[in-house]
Amino acid sequence: MNYLFVCTFNQQRSPTAEYVFRDILKTKKVYGNVKSAGIDESASVRATPEIIKWADRIYVMEQHHKDAILKIDPKSKNKIKVLGIEDRYFRNDPILIRIFLSVIILLFIM
């Protein structure tokens, strides 16, 4: 399974989610590939048609990220989930990590 986490600039939220999710997969001994990307032109890793197609599941931080992904690839609609995590955290912020741990546990249950 290929997982993609998306935020705006791929500097704070999505790289943190990538790190946390990859660690959980490793700990749980679940096979999966994890990447992160951003929707902005200046993102360190951009959400491109190729990376969107690569992903089996796409987790975006906010609704406008989903809207941007759908402009790139309208066929990806069914594999996107909005996490509802606002842009107010720094990379690896302990609060952000706790939020992702809670969200990721829910993703495994669903």
Side-chain angles (χ1 to χ4, degrees), residues 6-65:
V6 178
C7 67
T8 305
F9 298 106
N10 190 230
Q11 293 178 354
Q12 310 296 342
R13 294 172 290 173
S14 59
T16 302
E18 177 184 2
Y19 166 78
V20 170
F21 197 69
R22 184 177 287 127
D23 191 53
I24 287 175
L25 290 178
K26 184 178 177 183
T27 301
K28 299 279 187 191
K29 297 181 179 166
V30 175
Y31 177 76
N33 299 298
V34 186
K35 293 183 180 182
S36 63
I39 59 166
D40 193 82
E41 289 182 14
S42 65
S44 56
V45 175
R46 294 240 5 242
T48 62
E50 295 79 20
I51 199 168
I52 293 167
K53 186 173 184 155
W54 167 87
D56 298 306
R57 301 267 194 277
I58 302 172
Y59 300 104
V60 300
M61 302 301 139
E62 299 178 74
Q63 180 63 43
H64 70 97
H65 300 131

Side-chain angles (χ1 to χ4, degrees), residues 35-103:
K35 293 183 180 182
S36 63
I39 59 166
D40 193 82
E41 289 182 14
S42 65
S44 56
V45 175
R46 294 240 5 242
T48 62
E50 295 79 20
I51 199 168
I52 293 167
K53 186 173 184 155
W54 167 87
D56 298 306
R57 301 267 194 277
I58 302 172
Y59 300 104
V60 300
M61 302 301 139
E62 299 178 74
Q63 180 63 43
H64 70 97
H65 300 131
K66 179 178 180 178
D67 298 340
I69 297 290
L70 290 175
K71 284 182 183 176
I72 297 168
D73 182 4
K75 295 178 184 177
S76 65
K77 181 181 180 182
N78 293 329
K79 60 182 179 178
I80 302 173
K81 178 160 179 59
V82 179
L83 300 178
I85 300 172
E86 297 176 359
D87 187 12
R88 59 181 188 180
Y89 302 97
F90 291 104
R91 188 177 195 150
N92 298 327
D93 180 319
I95 295 170
L96 182 59
I97 289 172
R98 281 196 301 269
I99 291 168
F100 283 130
L101 287 170
S102 299
V103 167

